[in-house]
Amino acid sequence: MSVLSFPRLYLRGTMSWDPIVSNNAAAAYDLVTGRARLQPGETTAEFRRRLINSTAQRGDWNYFGTHRCALEQAAVVGAAATPGDREVDQDPLLGVPVELVGKLVDIDPAGTCSQVFFDELTLGIPGHPHLRARPRRRMSSRWLNFARNRGNLPIAGNASAAWQAVFPATEVDIVRAGQSPLLTTLQQALGDPRARGLMLRLCTYRTQYFNGRLQDRDGLPALLTELQQLHEQGNPASNPANSLVVGVVGVWSDGDSESVPGGRQLLASGTAPLPVGPATAELHPDARVLSLDLSNTIPELDRNLDKADLGPITVSVTADGARSEVGRIEASAYDRAAYEARAGIVDVDLSPTLDLTSLFGRGRLALEVQTPGGPAVLLAERQLTASCDDCNLYLDEGQSHTLVIRAHLRGTVPPEPLSVFVASYDQNMAFTNEATVLHAAADGTAELEVRGEAPGCRHLGLFAFTGATTPTPPQVLRLDTGQFTSVRTLPFDDKLEAATTDQALTWEFLYANVLQTYDAIAPRMSVILDLADPDAVQTFARRLKEVTSAELFESARYMPVTRDLSRGKRTLLHRFCDLALTGALPPAPPPSTPQAVPIPAAGALPPAAPQQLPDAPARLEKRALP
């Protein structure tokens, strides 16, 4: 099951990131209203100049970004067809390019719950054996590992993240499989009754900014000043960051989580000799192999990417109070060369172990290392887990959505139903003291209805448990190991739309209340369509309706990329487009007529949230100069 099953294909390359970060700052963007914070009497052009002139001060490394993200120079670098077999080293699919182009969007612009909206994954070249697949939903970041690189790199350079997407079998096209044994094996695996399609899991890490020129934090002010000068010269060139990426394509099967790494989960122990990230494991009892996903686990020592050498890692299982050593991972299996060749996946031979199914079915898995002070637990299994495929959810005013939460014991459906404690966290991931308890059905699922009751962003922490005693939730939700779903309720604009007659729906009204924010926050949009030009907007009215349609929301083609267009504002925009298409637009009002609905000034914002608790990373400052 999942990418830890067989067959699997290994990928490697880089990922480019080109988001705007101007909407990260509360002084420039209001999350609740979804509007740019223009100062009284300030025009869009003046707002842009203000942001450009304060680039270095604000640490804004990419005001002219496009939100585009893409796999770059990525290729299939290896494969494993069956457990225990040697790695596949000859096949027409090896070395072929891997392409994925999408848009990077944070559900909360000031937070780090990121999403990649994309429309297609391709492996190979048309005319040769190749694969094309269309995703079921967006990818969402999970397991943000702040300590992945120990080289003190700037901005998010030290961090890594896991990403996962699934592709229904009906949306997978495998072409010329007969010419590639690997594609033939993959096609046969999709014919299994338990197979639902394909799964992609990526790990992005070692991010560099300013085209790789930035080596340390001391160089930030000069580079930001140079970028500001380019902006002042009217150069709209964006400034994408670049991460390294490894990935795996495998089979998506019944019971697999769609959006987050599933299986048996292992988390860092308090006795670990250095910070490590989470891992997942899957047992293949017939082949007597344990597959471990260490793609986000072992840190690099510096920007040169040498892995920390922890020595041999012992795999153990503790059941009924007795500890059994079942396998061993040599350092050569997780060093840089092995990591890049196999995307961090390690298959451990368990041949000497007796009765694997019983032992793993009742025991707790752990990875252990030797330290100068003696043996230490590196990772220990979190046996009770809860996950939700809707990692990030957008709601409109009063809209309801039912979340399906899966509770697992040791990565599988428990023999007896579990319960799930759902704790509410605010935008800053601080516990609000609000919670509810759900009782899972026999298949491990529980349902929770959420409703758009107030605009803004919140997070729902998920904690599976047994018995009558509910768990105590952490005061700050962790991004590195937390199980959660993020919910953004879009601005409440239904009343504005209902109160606006067609006679009042002038170009000036539409610009002030709908289009101006995107024109101000994302100036690169002007290269595609000048939102400040009424003639251009009216000319492309039909196209505007198409790309802002709610049915296109999961696509990379949707506008606005930031996904913060409320139902009320969308209706206003579509009504305006219909009037333009029928030639029925009302005349412009006199220049003195007020148009924009006022929003609070930056100084009227609520007080900042309390400082985060120590040793509980929850948020990552994405701007260059926090």
Side-chain angles (χ1 to χ4, degrees):
M1 299 172 69
S2 81
V3 296
L4 292 179
S5 62
F6 297 87
R8 58 173 97 112
L9 308 176
Y10 305 124
L11 323 174
R12 186 172 79 245
T14 62
M15 179 75 87
S16 62
W17 312 104
D18 192 31
I20 59 168
V21 290
S22 50
N23 62 347
N24 292 182
Y29 176 80
D30 185 346
L31 172 74
V32 173
T33 64
R35 289 174 177 265
R37 286 192 179 277
L38 277 70
Q39 295 176 352
E42 186 177 43
T43 66
T44 305
E46 291 167 343
F47 176 91
R48 287 189 185 181
R49 281 197 295 271
R50 174 161 60 90
L51 290 197
I52 290 171
N53 292 335
S54 62
T55 294
Q57 175 187 350
R58 294 181 296 107
D60 187 342
W61 55 270
N62 204 24
Y63 179 40
F64 284 95
T66 63
H67 284 282
R68 183 182 187 273
C69 62
L71 286 176
E72 311 276 0
Q73 300 176 339
V76 177
V77 296
T82 59
D85 282 357
R86 64 180 178 83
E87 297 294 317
V88 177
D89 55 11
Q90 290 186 350
D91 191 275
L93 203 63
L94 296 179
V96 301
V98 180
E99 296 183 357
L100 183 155
V101 179
K103 298 294 178 62
L104 176 69
V105 183
D106 288 345
I107 190 167
D108 169 8
T112 48
C113 299
S114 300
Q115 309 154 101
V116 173
F117 292 84
F118 69 107
D119 296 324
E120 187 176 71
L121 169 74
T122 64
L123 284 73
I125 304 171
H128 299 270
H130 68 277
L131 178 154
R132 300 173 61 221
R134 292 159 292 280
R136 169 160 161 68
R137 65 176 86 221
R138 74 201 83 155
M139 290 192 293
S140 299
S141 63
R142 278 298 180 266
W143 290 4
L144 187 61
N145 182 355
F146 297 90
R148 170 61 182 270
N149 193 298
R150 301 178 64 78
N152 192 31
L153 302 176
I155 318 179
N158 289 336
S160 63
W163 308 80
Q164 184 168 296
V166 294
F167 309 82
T170 55
E171 297 296 329
V172 176
D173 302 322
I174 297 179
V175 182
R176 299 180 185 267
Q179 300 176 20
S180 165
L182 275 177
L183 278 182
T184 298
T185 303
L186 194 62
Q187 192 172 55
Q188 292 171 345
L190 289 177
D192 188 301
R194 297 168 297 176
R196 300 185 62 189
L198 294 181
M199 176 181 289
L200 169 71
R201 188 178 299 170
L202 301 175
C203 179
T204 54
Y205 63 105
R206 213 289 302 273
T207 303
Q208 291 186 318
Y209 297 78
F210 303 93
N211 299 312
R213 292 170 51 199
L214 189 58
Q215 296 299 316
D216 53 51
R217 295 181 184 276
D218 294 338
L220 271 170
L223 284 171
L224 286 171
T225 299
E226 179 181 334
L227 184 61
Q228 177 173 321
Q229 291 171 348
L230 290 174
H231 289 177
E232 290 170 346
Q233 295 166 7
N235 184 351
S238 55
N239 179 41
N242 290 277
S243 300
L244 297 175
V245 60
V246 295
V248 192
V249 173
V251 177
W252 169 35
S253 300
D254 285 338
D256 287 343
S257 173
E258 294 183 19
S259 304
V260 299
R264 299 180 78 132
Q265 297 186 10
L266 295 94
L267 306 182
S269 164
T271 62
L274 79 171
V276 292
T280 59
E282 183 176 324
L283 177 67
H284 307 287
D286 294 340
R288 307 189 74 78
V289 166
L290 178 70
S291 295
L292 290 161
D293 182 357
L294 304 182
S295 62
N296 204 25
T297 308
I298 309 297
E300 286 85 16
L301 298 176
D302 50 36
R303 65 175 60 90
N304 296 322
L305 302 174
D306 291 326
K307 287 282 191 180
D309 186 350
L310 304 174
I313 300 176
T314 299
V315 182
S316 70
V317 180
T318 300
D320 304 326
R323 173 184 170 277
S324 302
E325 294 186 6
V326 298
R328 178 183 172 100
I329 304 171
E330 301 296 340
S332 59
Y334 63 80
D335 64 12
R336 177 181 177 181
Y339 178 83
E340 293 179 349
R342 306 182 81 246
I345 292 185
V346 177
D347 293 317
V348 183
D349 181 12
L350 305 181
S351 296
T353 306
L354 301 175
D355 197 10
L356 282 174
T357 302
S358 175
L359 180 64
F360 275 77
R362 55 193 172 86
R364 187 183 190 195
L365 185 63
L367 303 184
E368 303 167 358
V369 294
Q370 289 294 327
T371 71
V377 175
L378 186 70
L379 297 168
E381 184 174 5
R382 174 166 60 188
Q383 294 189 299
L384 295 175
T385 59
S387 65
C388 180
D389 290 333
D390 289 310
C391 284
N392 293 306
L393 178 66
Y394 292 84
L395 295 175
D396 270 300
E397 179 177 356
Q399 182 183 3
S400 294
H401 181 84
T402 300
L403 297 174
V404 178
I405 300 168
R406 298 178 185 272
H408 284 153
L409 171 65
R410 302 186 186 94
T412 62
V413 176
E416 296 181 1
L418 300 175
S419 298
V420 179
F421 185 80
V422 182
S424 179
Y425 292 80
D426 65 16
Q427 179 187 347
N428 297 298
M429 294 198 160
F431 183 41
T432 64
N433 293 317
E434 298 177 3
T436 188
V437 173
L438 307 175
H439 300 292
D443 63 355
T445 63
E447 294 185 352
L448 175 69
E449 184 181 41
V450 291
R451 183 178 175 84
E453 297 176 342
C457 193
R458 57 193 170 112
H459 311 276
L460 303 175
L462 311 175
F463 307 91
F465 69 100
T466 60
T469 303
T470 59
T472 301
Q475 290 300 301
V476 175
L477 188 61
R478 298 182 66 111
L479 273 173
D480 54 350
T481 59
Q483 305 169 118
F484 63 93
T485 285
S486 300
V487 181
R488 181 170 181 184
T489 301
L490 297 174
F492 283 10
D493 295 314
D494 287 357
K495 289 184 179 179
L496 172 66
E497 188 277 326
T500 305
T501 64
D502 285 354
Q503 290 72 29
L505 191 47
T506 63
W507 153 254
E508 289 76 12
F509 182 91
L510 182 77
Y511 183 77
N513 289 285
V514 180
L515 300 180
Q516 185 176 42
T517 286
Y518 308 109
D519 194 26
I521 293 294
R524 192 61 180 271
M525 179 66 196
S526 299
V527 178
I528 304 171
L529 174 63
D530 187 354
L531 296 176
D533 183 345
D535 291 335
V537 172
Q538 293 176 49
T539 298
F540 290 95
R542 192 179 307 279
R543 182 61 177 156
L544 269 176
K545 281 195 67 176
E546 292 174 358
V547 298
T548 58
S549 169
E551 287 71 27
L552 205 63
F553 192 88
E554 286 292 331
S555 170
R557 295 173 290 137
Y558 177 80
M559 291 290 180
V561 177
T562 47
R563 264 74 180 174
D564 53 358
L565 183 67
S566 66
R567 178 177 57 206
K569 288 177 183 174
R570 177 187 293 111
T571 304
L572 280 171
L573 175 60
H574 287 192
R575 284 174 53 196
F576 177 89
C577 291
D578 289 338
L579 292 172
L581 290 170
T582 58
L585 280 176
S592 59
T593 302
Q595 294 293 316
V597 175
I599 62 172
L605 291 174
Q611 186 175 3
Q612 302 295 347
L613 299 180
D615 301 323
R619 299 169 68 83
L620 176 65
E621 179 55 75
K622 295 176 291 183
R623 288 174 291 163
L625 293 176

